Every structure is written in C-alpha cells, then in structure tokens.
Amino acid sequence: DQLGSGILAYTLPDRHILVFNQEARKMFDAPEMQSRILNFDVSHRVIPEDKMIVSKAVRNLEKPGDSVEYTFHNLRKDGTVAALKCTTKMLSFPDGGKYILSSIIDITEQEAFEKRLEEERQRYKTALSIGSFAFFSIDLTEGKLCEPIITKNGENLLNEFGISIPTYYDDFARIMFGEERIVSDSEKINMLRSRKRLIAAYKEGIAVIDLDYRVTDKDRNIH
C-alpha cells in the first residue's frame, strides 16, 4: 500500500483477487475491501474505446512469464479522464496455478505535457515553414528523419537524393550537406554534417545556426 504505483493481482481462471493495493483502488474507484474478492470488475471505468486495448493485451498472455505493456484511460468520478500505463505479467504458483500481476502508473500529467509539446512543435513548424523553400524536423535523440521534405513547389527533396524514410540523420546529412553537393564559406556547415556535432553545439549554448551555401549542380543558393 505504500507503493506509488497501483498493484493488482488475481488468479486464473476464477479471478480471485490476491492483491489490490490502495493506489490501484483509487485508480479504479474501488471501495475498501478484503482480499480474495471474486470477480471485481476493474474495467467498469475504462473508457469504451480503450476496452479493446486492455482485452487484446491480456489475451496475449498465454503462458507464465509472458508480459505486456499498454496504456489505457479511465473515467474518474469527477468526469475527468486519467491516463494509466500498465505492465501486466502472467505468473504461476508452485502447484501450477496461474495468476495475473499488474503494475499501474498514473501518467495523466505526462501525457498532457507531451500533447502540449507536440502542439507547440506543430505551431513552430507551421511558423517556420511560411515562406520557406523547404522545411524539415528531426528528433536528434533518436537521430532519425521520419518525414518527407516537401518544397514550396510540392516536390519531395528526398527523391532528389534517392533517400527513403525513415533514415538516420548522419546518412541524410552526408548527402544533403556533403562537399560533393554544396559549397559554403561558413565553418558552421560542419555542425550540420553530424548528429553528434549538433548535440555538442547545443550543449555549448548554440541553439541557432545561421548560414548560406550553394548547391552547385542545381544552381541554387540556400540560406
């Protein structure tokens, strides 16, 4: 009961509850109860569109040792929706009996933060793309380019390079900013040629890299 996560365990196939700690009872709006309560419905507050997520996840547990991780949403008594991340595992007793053990964490604030961050990224992307020849965004943590680079003329710039997505940033940069393709008088161009160099520059306080280069075979000047 002192754990910050909800813990729920029940036997199979009779679904006798073995553990239902206080944090889990709060998540499911369950009353105080004695252990080994038969057939308590923990899904009664799962929002309808997520019931299939929970059901499908549990069906994937076929033998002791199998585990699944999934996120679902519960409707609280006050009408708000909580986001819950659950890790569920099938285990067995020495006599061969099976039971389900779930650890549940409330990630409502985290999910809301990630949603706001994504909305801000989209607004930022829209603002930057206005009037630009082309725009692209890359998560340097994963180091992958996952979206096409569409120019203002509606062309996919990656087709020019023969690159398909997803692709690693360094592979993309080797062509995009390679010495065989472009000419630049700026030393800063070297930062763009490596994911590690970009991250190192950011750690040094460089958040904006402003430079010009020329694409020789396209007679194109880029800022």
Side-chain angles (χ1 to χ4, degrees):
D1 281 343
Q2 301 304 314
L3 292 175
S5 59
I7 301 295
L8 171 64
Y10 57 86
T11 61
L12 292 176
D14 50 14
R15 300 179 68 85
H16 279 98
I17 290 180
L18 302 170
V19 179
F20 200 10
N21 75 342
Q22 183 176 355
E23 191 65 23
R25 290 197 297 270
K26 284 167 53 181
M27 293 174 178
F28 294 100
D29 291 323
E32 293 290 333
M33 59 179 64
Q34 301 296 321
S35 60
R36 300 190 70 81
I37 299 298
L38 182 63
N39 293 330
F40 177 78
D41 183 11
V42 295
S43 67
H44 73 295
R45 287 200 173 274
V46 178
I47 63 173
E49 52 267 41
D50 280 5
K51 287 183 182 291
M52 185 58 67
I53 293 175
V54 177
S55 177
K56 183 178 180 180
V58 175
R59 284 202 303 269
N60 286 330
L61 302 175
E62 298 178 351
K63 62 183 183 303
D66 288 351
S67 64
V68 290
E69 187 173 277
Y70 52 96
T71 299
F72 63 97
H73 299 81
N74 258 16
L75 182 64
R76 296 176 173 137
K77 285 183 178 180
D78 62 5
T80 61
V81 175
L84 304 176
K85 183 176 181 179
C86 184
T87 301
T88 298
K89 189 168 187 176
M90 179 184 288
L91 299 166
S92 63
F93 296 109
D95 64 4
K98 298 176 184 177
Y99 65 100
I100 295 293
L101 175 65
S102 294
S103 173
I104 310 162
I105 302 173
D106 190 325
I107 60 168
T108 305
E109 292 186 5
Q110 176 186 337
E111 187 177 77
F113 172 77
E114 289 175 352
K115 183 178 180 180
R116 289 196 301 270
L117 184 61
E118 181 59 30
E119 289 172 350
E120 290 174 4
R121 282 174 176 163
Q122 290 302 321
R123 286 196 293 269
Y124 182 64
K125 180 176 180 179
T126 299
L128 284 181
S129 63
I130 295 174
S132 297
F133 168 70
F135 176 88
F136 63 94
S137 178
I138 291 176
D139 184 338
L140 290 178
T141 304
E142 294 185 354
K144 287 184 179 181
L145 175 67
C146 297
E147 298 179 358
I149 302 176
I150 305 300
T151 70
K152 65 180 181 180
N153 301 322
E155 301 169 341
N156 183 357
L157 202 57
L158 296 182
N159 291 338
E160 183 179 310
F161 309 145
I163 294 176
S164 58
I165 52 175
T167 186
Y168 285 104
Y169 177 78
D170 285 1
D171 295 336
F172 157 74
R174 193 176 298 116
I175 299 175
M176 178 77 168
F177 306 115
E179 293 180 355
E180 300 83 3
R181 178 176 181 268
I182 69 170
V183 175
S184 177
D185 294 330
S186 175
E187 293 282 340
K188 292 183 287 188
I189 193 68
N190 290 321
M191 296 182 192
L192 300 181
R193 289 172 172 157
S194 164
R195 168 179 166 267
K196 288 185 177 180
R197 290 174 189 166
L198 280 174
I199 294 174
Y202 184 75
K203 288 179 179 179
E204 293 174 3
I206 300 174
V208 177
I209 300 173
D210 198 24
L211 56 84
D212 298 308
Y213 64 84
R214 178 176 178 79
V215 183
T216 53
D217 64 340
K218 295 291 182 181
D219 194 26
R220 182 187 294 157
N221 292 307
I222 302 292
H223 178 75

